[in-house]
Amino acid sequence: MTTLATPTARDRRRWARYLVDERAEARVYRELASRRTGEERDILLALAEAEGRHEQHWIDLLGEQPQRLPHPGVGTRMLSWMARRFGSIFVLALAQNAEARSPYADEPYATAAMAADERVHHEVVRGLAARGRRRLSGTFRAAVFGANDGLVSNLALVMGVGATGVAPSFVLFSGIAGLLAGALSMGAGEFVSVRSQRELLEATEESDFADAALPHLDLDANELALVYRTRGMDPDAALTKAREVVTAAQSGTAPAAAAPGKSAHDVVGSAWGASISSFLFFASGAIIPVLPWIFGMSGLGAVVLALVLVGIALMATGAMVGLLSGASPLKRGLRQLAIGFGAAAITYVLGLLFGVSAA
């Protein structure tokens, strides 16, 4: 083991920072645990206990808890604030990012076990966040992406129409028409997509169509084993299972029911729910670029205000997607902004060209 140099005042300040961050992270996990039950609660409390061990490590190095401690980092304080008020999937996604940025791998005064803990914590929090993401899929996915599509498509539409030099009333009419057409299209498309996916899942589920024939099968020569092989069993296991089921059926005993699991339908979501939320959120996004014209503005002022409003909304939806995917909210927000403004720029240039040619 490498002998460490005598710690400096700078080292001690860094330890104090680690101490308060560990304490704040433990508080976040306890706040989240207070809103959970069962296994998730136990997992979160175990994470808080582990952070407490790390906190004690820095207290031991310092000799005692300093009388004055620094404030936790901005990210840790935001996590704690969100945990107290929301306790949602967004907090877990932020905690996942925080665990991934642990400095202990390069910290000479942190133990190898502490660095390993932080890596494992990242995976644990990622698993908890994945559960939340599955619960939010379906309707929530349609809502978020519906709003984003409404923002981008209607901004591009009003920018393109406005660039041709037509009257403000025509720009407003085009924006409202684009809102209704897009929202109806999104709602109908989402309904068909989710309903079709549910029907495909139903077609792949196990069937009881042949159950009535089970007592009449030959115990040693029956095709039931082939059914189990189509479901992924190897030949020997399928044959053993088939004999067990046929024996039970011939003796009048119902085959043992499989343990209930999470239906794939729960992950896909409701077709009507996805359709309605997609319609409403597309409309809520598509109305934003039209707001300046609704309130009587025109010309460059309306264009600039529309770009500002849509830019804020694009950053917000991009950041939300980034949080849910465990990625950087800022990067995802900037990506959404670039895509939206890029589409608007293309249609604006085309509108200018059409306006010139029409003149």
Side-chain angles (χ1 to χ4, degrees):
M1 181 175 178
T2 305
T3 302
L4 297 174
T6 302
T8 63
R10 184 176 181 180
D11 290 330
R12 296 180 66 82
R13 286 194 298 270
R14 191 171 67 253
W15 299 346
R17 169 70 66 185
Y18 292 152
L19 189 157
V20 296
D21 282 343
E22 293 287 5
R23 182 173 295 170
E25 287 173 12
R27 190 180 305 117
V28 167
Y29 291 133
R30 283 193 292 269
E31 291 281 355
L32 291 174
S34 69
R35 300 169 181 266
R36 299 291 197 276
T37 58
E39 185 183 36
E40 287 192 14
R41 182 177 184 275
D42 294 339
I43 292 171
L44 287 164
L45 288 175
L47 287 173
E49 183 181 348
E51 302 295 1
R53 291 196 303 270
H54 297 176
E55 175 191 345
Q56 188 60 48
H57 171 82
W58 301 117
I59 291 176
D60 292 342
L61 278 180
L62 288 165
E64 59 181 4
Q65 183 169 310
Q67 301 246 338
R68 296 182 62 184
L69 288 170
H71 293 293
V74 174
T76 306
R77 289 203 299 271
M78 183 172 67
L79 265 179
S80 182
W81 182 85
M82 291 182 69
R84 287 194 301 273
R85 287 159 179 79
F86 304 109
S88 67
I89 173 61
F90 297 103
V91 181
L92 287 171
L94 285 171
Q96 175 186 332
N97 288 337
E99 296 288 2
R101 295 192 300 268
S102 171
Y104 290 169
D106 300 318
E107 172 55 59
Y109 289 93
T111 67
M114 291 170 64
D117 283 348
E118 295 298 314
R119 286 182 174 271
V120 172
H121 291 178
H122 173 266
E123 291 303 311
V124 173
V125 176
R126 181 179 181 180
L128 290 174
R131 292 185 179 189
R133 291 183 185 110
R134 285 192 289 269
R135 288 193 290 264
L136 286 174
S137 54
T139 301
F140 185 81
R141 174 185 57 82
V144 171
F145 291 105
N148 185 72
D149 287 346
L151 286 164
V152 175
S153 63
N154 229 28
L155 176 66
L157 177 63
V158 297
M159 290 294 104
V161 172
T164 62
V166 297
S169 59
F170 192 81
V171 177
L172 176 60
F173 171 79
S174 300
I176 298 298
L179 183 157
L180 291 174
L184 288 169
S185 175
M186 287 288 292
E190 197 67 35
F191 180 87
V192 171
S193 173
V194 175
R195 176 59 67 87
S196 300
Q197 193 170 357
R198 290 177 70 89
E199 290 171 351
L200 286 172
L201 289 171
E202 288 172 0
T204 61
E205 289 179 348
E206 297 181 4
S207 168
D208 59 359
F209 178 78
D211 284 3
L214 295 180
H216 308 293
L217 291 175
D218 186 294
L219 184 60
D220 297 316
N222 67 77
E223 280 76 35
L224 186 59
L226 299 179
V227 174
Y228 294 123
R229 288 173 67 179
T230 65
R231 295 176 184 173
M233 286 189 178
D234 61 70
D236 292 337
L239 183 60
T240 300
K241 176 69 174 177
R243 285 175 175 169
E244 290 175 356
V245 171
V246 172
T247 300
Q250 290 176 348
S251 64
T253 305
K262 182 175 180 65
S263 171
H265 294 186
D266 297 335
V267 176
V268 175
S270 161
W272 277 111
S275 175
I276 292 171
S277 64
S278 184
F279 176 93
L280 293 176
F281 277 86
F282 182 96
S284 68
I287 195 67
I288 293 177
V290 191
L291 287 175
W293 286 272
I294 289 178
F295 288 102
M297 295 183 67
S298 62
L300 182 61
V303 170
V304 171
L305 181 57
L307 288 172
V308 170
L309 293 175
V310 172
I312 294 171
L314 285 172
M315 286 291 292
T317 57
M320 188 179 300
V321 172
L323 281 176
L324 288 176
S325 62
S328 166
L330 179 60
K331 288 182 179 179
R332 292 296 183 271
L334 291 173
R335 185 179 68 180
Q336 294 295 96
L337 186 66
I339 292 172
F341 280 11
I346 292 172
T347 56
Y348 187 78
V349 170
L350 290 175
L352 289 176
L353 294 176
F354 279 112
V356 171
S357 62

